Amino acid sequence: MVRCSDFTVRSAVFATFVLVSGLALAAIAIAPTPASAQPLYLNEIMASNSTTNVDEEGDAEDWIELYYAGNEPLNLNGFWLSDDYDEPYRWMFPDTTIQPGDFLLVWASGKHRMEPGGELHTNFSIAQAGEEVILTSPGGTRIDELKPTEIPTDISIGRYPDGTGDWHFYTDPTPGEPNTGDGYREILDPVTFSHDGGFYTDDISLKLTHPDPDVTIIYTLDGSRPELDNLDGATWHHMDRYRTDDQELLEKSYRTHLYNDSLEIHDRSVDPNHLSRMQTAFEQESVQESSPDPWYVPSDPVFKGTVVRATAVKEGAVSAGIQTQSYFITEKARDRYVLPVISLAIQEDELFDYENGIYVPGKIFDDWFPDWQSEYPDTVQLPGDAPANYTEKGIDTELPAHMELFEPESPVASHQQNLGVRVHGGWSRAFPLKSIRLYARNEYSSNRFYYPMFPDQPYNEYNRLILRNAGNDFEYAMLRDPLGQAVIGHLKPDTQAYRPYIVFINGEFWGMLNMRERYDTDYLARVHGAEPGQVDILEDNGLIREGDNTHYRDMM
């Protein structure tokens, strides 16, 4: 019997010839091998990759994993992948062989690379919101598919058992390896809030709801991430005062609550100050001796709101993520501030914990200070770059956070999103109010801030921004740098956009910080059209800030 395999030719049918004494007596047309009999499968797919894995260029791209369950090696040349039912022949495999029981990773990056033996990249990407992924044989038969399915960032959808099992969601993807049996069967909808976050004149009764009656709603009121295993609370420690003989570690805690009934939101201005009493800077000796408290700690209660963070949990399901809303109750409502307002929700121990907090002098400062004091016993002024948690951890450690932005004319948020934050600056990090970098990344929600942060600028999207403490002007006018740039603006040099914001952290008034653009490769791409990968940014004597200094060194 001679037959033409559907693996190697495009044909809707093939023929079986019956041979008698070397003569073909009859030709009988039969149906091709059913799609279900093909041993090549879509096995695991990621539609929004942020931190899971990267290609050879270091890019975190979408990917499609195939699994082959056949008994003989299979050449994939002529097989097709696509993200469109109406266009099944979008990307064809090159001369590539997959072995029995092997997994093959194809990057759905849009880079369109088909070099045999190299990384494979399709000419399309996969929409996170959900679109089909189809695998077609050389003969035109659709042999496998994933129907349009929304897949959150850094979560994959895969089969268990490999190739033939049902689809599951995986929070720990396994590209190029077998899938495990601990996947999830559904992704939950987000929790719904009865009131939008914003400025209100009267108390509100906040209700949290979910369309699935079998979920459990959990929430926090302290800025921490709601977690089912923290219903009893977790403790952390911060230092009450640095550079004193009787300094003491104080215990704080954060806690998740089960939602059972509505939450009563009221004006919290008379509540004792919490975050604003944290020691965020070491004091110089002359200042320290003049006051029993750090000079920057407010003596009266500051204005406070309530930050509610909530999520739904259910066995066998993936949470839709944390929903966050900030509520400010004041008789003046939004008229309380003429400036725009930013409310940041950040787990407080990650900022202020003695050992690990990125916003405080912390243990790193206390370990350094005695040796420095012994070496320089007559020196009163400490250097601004003295080792501290915020110098050693602050710039390199990025914390997940949530931001809401309230414009002066609107009582509710005009923009909000999850983001990453870091401490920014040099010597200015020693000030109690520190500059904060803001990072938009897919792993949080979006890789852009899609909002006109500076209304006088023609841009509606940004990658990275800074909430700046005004640097060396912090203790003075706090606006001389943007003023100087504005004065020479008519000469058309590059100047950083500027807008002052009132900032709250976990609902507590934190002060005024200046929103600024950050000079980096993203700025040069947005403003001057420079390719990010073709830009080197150097400081001082060729120190690398972004890119490399190869060309600079070659010229020396």
Side-chain angles (χ1 to χ4, degrees):
M1 181 175 68
V2 179
R3 68 178 180 183
C4 302
S5 170
D6 188 47
F7 281 126
T8 55
V9 298
R10 293 187 191 178
S11 175
V13 297
F14 59 82
T16 298
F17 294 91
V18 180
L19 302 180
V20 178
S21 300
L23 299 175
L25 299 182
I28 305 172
I30 62 174
T33 304
S36 60
Q38 298 284 6
L40 185 66
Y41 303 96
L42 299 172
N43 196 55
E44 189 175 7
I45 293 169
M46 175 165 282
S48 179
N49 181 7
S50 177
T51 60
T52 299
N53 58 337
V54 297
D55 64 13
E56 60 188 0
E57 295 177 341
D59 298 327
E61 306 285 4
D62 306 346
W63 46 262
I64 301 167
E65 178 195 81
L66 273 64
Y67 171 66
Y68 177 51
N71 296 319
E72 300 291 336
L74 174 64
N75 191 300
L76 297 178
N77 185 228
F79 283 81
W80 299 82
L81 287 172
S82 177
D83 62 343
D84 189 344
Y85 284 132
D86 295 327
E87 193 179 345
Y89 307 117
R90 290 205 65 182
W91 185 83
M92 187 180 74
F93 281 89
D95 184 9
T96 299
T97 298
I98 186 170
Q99 299 296 322
D102 273 4
F103 302 87
L104 178 65
L105 195 68
V106 180
W107 295 96
S109 64
K111 295 179 179 179
H112 192 33
R113 294 176 184 170
M114 304 171 60
E115 184 68 28
E119 279 193 347
L120 301 179
H121 289 255
T122 66
N123 54 0
F124 61 86
S125 300
I126 307 169
Q128 179 183 356
E131 64 180 348
E132 61 269 23
V133 178
I134 57 178
L135 175 64
T136 302
S137 74
T141 301
R142 183 186 304 160
I143 59 174
D144 206 357
E145 69 176 302
L146 171 69
K147 294 181 179 179
T149 305
E150 182 176 357
I151 309 172
T153 298
D154 284 330
I155 290 177
S156 68
I157 186 169
R159 283 186 162 125
Y160 184 80
D162 291 309
T164 58
D166 293 333
W167 291 99
H168 298 75
F169 294 100
Y170 289 97
T171 55
D172 293 310
T174 56
E177 298 177 0
N179 296 331
T180 61
D182 57 353
Y184 300 89
R185 298 308 304 272
E186 63 176 316
I187 295 179
L188 298 175
D189 291 327
V191 172
T192 300
F193 288 62
S194 62
H195 295 72
D196 293 330
F199 288 79
Y200 294 83
T201 55
D202 300 313
D203 296 353
I204 62 176
S205 183
L206 178 67
K207 294 180 173 57
L208 306 178
T209 57
H210 195 276
D212 187 341
D214 295 327
V215 305
T216 298
I217 297 177
I218 56 177
Y219 70 95
T220 65
L221 300 173
D222 52 23
S224 64
R225 296 179 290 274
E227 297 173 338
L228 198 57
D229 61 358
N230 193 35
L231 297 177
D232 293 329
T235 59
W236 58 281
H237 298 86
H238 77 95
M239 185 59 69
D240 68 326
R241 194 81 185 263
Y242 293 89
R243 298 191 67 192
T244 65
D245 294 333
D246 57 348
Q247 66 182 44
E248 180 184 3
L249 276 177
L250 302 180
E251 185 174 277
K252 297 291 183 182
S253 64
Y254 58 92
R255 181 185 174 190
T256 297
H257 307 271
L258 290 174
Y259 177 78
N260 295 308
D261 201 354
S262 58
L263 307 178
E264 303 306 315
I265 310 297
H266 59 274
D267 184 354
R268 294 184 53 243
S269 294
V270 297
D271 290 359
N273 294 337
H274 176 54
L275 297 184
S276 60
R277 291 201 59 82
M278 298 290 177
Q279 179 91 33
T280 59
F282 60 81
E283 295 175 85
Q284 300 296 344
E285 194 169 301
S286 58
V287 175
Q288 184 189 56
E289 293 175 347
S290 66
S291 170
D293 291 315
W295 65 267
Y296 55 84
V297 169
S299 57
D300 297 320
V302 299
F303 180 62
K304 304 174 187 70
T306 300
V307 174
V308 182
R309 311 192 75 184
T311 190
V313 294
K314 176 184 173 183
E315 186 174 356
V318 180
S319 169
I322 300 170
Q323 309 302 308
T324 305
Q325 299 285 349
S326 299
Y327 301 91
F328 302 96
I329 311 299
T330 167
E331 61 182 12
K332 295 181 179 180
R334 187 61 186 87
D335 291 338
R336 184 182 184 94
Y337 301 107
V338 297
L339 292 176
V341 171
I342 281 180
S343 175
L344 293 174
I346 312 173
Q347 189 147 320
E348 62 182 41
D349 62 305
E350 296 177 345
L351 287 176
F352 306 111
D353 179 75
Y354 178 63
E355 292 198 9
N356 299 309
I358 69 170
Y359 204 91
V360 294
K363 187 175 186 299
I364 292 176
F365 174 80
D366 275 348
D367 289 345
W368 166 85
F369 179 66
D371 291 339
W372 181 88
Q373 191 175 39
S374 297
E375 187 173 356
Y376 303 99
D378 299 326
T379 303
V380 176
Q381 189 78 15
L382 270 68
D385 61 349
N389 283 20
Y390 49 72
T391 64
E392 306 304 309
K393 302 173 182 285
I395 289 181
D396 295 328
T397 302
E398 187 169 313
L399 304 181
H402 183 271
M403 177 182 70
E404 296 162 85
L405 190 157
F406 301 87
E407 292 288 0
E409 65 276 6
S410 175
V412 297
S414 299
H415 177 75
Q416 59 179 301
Q417 73 180 78
N418 295 325
L419 73 162
V421 299
R422 302 186 188 188
V423 174
H424 172 83
W427 281 48
S428 67
R429 285 175 290 177
F431 291 131
L433 187 66
K434 306 181 194 306
S435 301
I436 300 174
R437 292 185 193 174
L438 309 178
Y439 289 83
R441 302 191 194 278
N442 282 332
E443 64 188 275
Y444 304 120
S445 56
S446 171
N447 65 351
R448 296 286 190 279
F449 297 107
Y450 289 105
Y451 188 78
M453 297 293 184
F454 309 98
D456 59 341
Q457 297 289 310
Y459 311 109
N460 293 319
E461 59 181 81
Y462 299 85
N463 297 79
R464 289 175 282 194
L465 296 163
I466 303 172
L467 286 172
R468 192 166 183 263
N469 64 0
N472 294 333
D473 200 27
F474 168 70
E475 297 179 279
Y476 304 98
M478 292 192 72
L479 52 71
R480 283 186 286 189
D481 181 65
L483 176 62
Q485 294 195 40
V487 167
I488 64 170
H490 66 285
L491 299 176
K492 302 303 181 183
D494 274 23
T495 58
Q496 292 172 289
Y498 158 82
R499 195 185 190 196
Y501 281 83
I502 299 296
V503 176
F504 286 80
I505 295 181
N506 294 345
E508 188 163 326
F509 176 80
W510 198 246
M512 187 184 79
L513 291 169
N514 300 327
M515 179 83 77
R516 307 300 300 272
E517 292 179 287
R518 182 169 183 252
Y519 285 147
D520 55 21
T521 54
D522 293 314
Y523 169 88
L524 295 173
R526 172 166 45 84
V527 176
H528 297 289
E531 289 289 338
Q534 303 300 315
V535 174
D536 299 326
I537 300 180
L538 309 179
E539 297 177 335
D540 300 325
N541 187 25
L543 297 178
I544 301 169
R545 179 170 151 185
E546 297 198 44
D548 60 57
N549 61 5
T550 302
H551 293 87
Y552 173 80
R553 294 298 181 191
D554 290 344
M555 293 186 296
M556 294 183 65

